[in-house]
């Protein structure tokens, strides 16, 4: 305990006898000199080489049967419509009913 008291006294003495801080003044930053525009002579044109491009023969694209694509799109559309109807008529009312029953049980329990 005596140690901490002497530390406190030392700290207070240092605070009272603190030397004043000197403010350091920075010289103003020099302003950059205006840049002079200099134009360089145009570089000589680079050498050009003509390269022969290899001929790559691509096989002709396979012709798709558009009837199959149209049928697949119709099937997808009917599936999406069926799921939307199912959600609209069955799933949403069941979830609302569960919510109402849950709230009723919570209210009745208090």
């Amino acid at each position: 305990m005596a140690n901490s008291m002497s530390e406190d006294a030392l700290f207070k003495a240092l605070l009272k006898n603190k030397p004043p801080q000197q403010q350091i003044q920075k010289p103003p930053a020099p302003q950059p000199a205006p840049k002079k525009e200099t134009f360089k002579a145009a570089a000589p044109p680079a050498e050009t080489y003509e390269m022969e491009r290899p001929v790559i023969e691509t096989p002709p694209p396979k012709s798709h049967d558009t009837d199959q694509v149209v049928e697949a799109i119709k099937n997808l559309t009917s599936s999406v419509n069926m799921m939307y109807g199912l959600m609209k008529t069955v799933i949403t009312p069941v979830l609302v009913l569960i919510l109402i029953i849950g709230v009723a049980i919570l209210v009745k329990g208090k």
Side-chain angles (χ1 to χ4, degrees), residues 11-29:
F11 182 70
K12 288 179 182 177
L14 286 174
L15 283 178
K16 287 181 183 177
N17 299 332
K18 184 168 81 170
Q21 294 181 350
Q22 296 176 354
Q23 293 183 353
I24 300 172
Q25 294 180 350
K26 295 183 180 178

Side-chain angles (χ1 to χ4, degrees), residues 13-102:
L14 286 174
L15 283 178
K16 287 181 183 177
N17 299 332
K18 184 168 81 170
Q21 294 181 350
Q22 296 176 354
Q23 293 183 353
I24 300 172
Q25 294 180 350
K26 295 183 180 178
Q31 295 180 353
K35 295 183 179 180
K36 296 180 182 178
E37 292 185 20
T38 57
F39 297 101
K40 295 182 179 179
E47 296 179 19
T48 58
Y49 296 100
E50 292 185 19
M51 293 179 54
E52 290 184 22
R53 296 187 178 198
V55 178
I56 300 174
E57 293 183 24
T58 57
K62 297 178 182 177
S63 61
H64 295 287
D65 189 11
T66 55
D67 292 336
Q68 290 178 351
V69 174
V70 170
E71 189 66 29
I73 291 173
K74 285 181 183 177
N75 288 340
L76 178 64
T77 305
S78 66
S79 297
V80 169
N81 288 337
M82 186 175 60
M83 288 304 296
Y84 175 71
L86 180 68
M87 284 178 50
K88 189 171 147 183
T89 58
V90 176
I91 296 175
T92 306
V94 168
L95 289 176
V96 170
L97 184 64
I98 291 172
L99 179 67
I100 291 170
I101 292 171

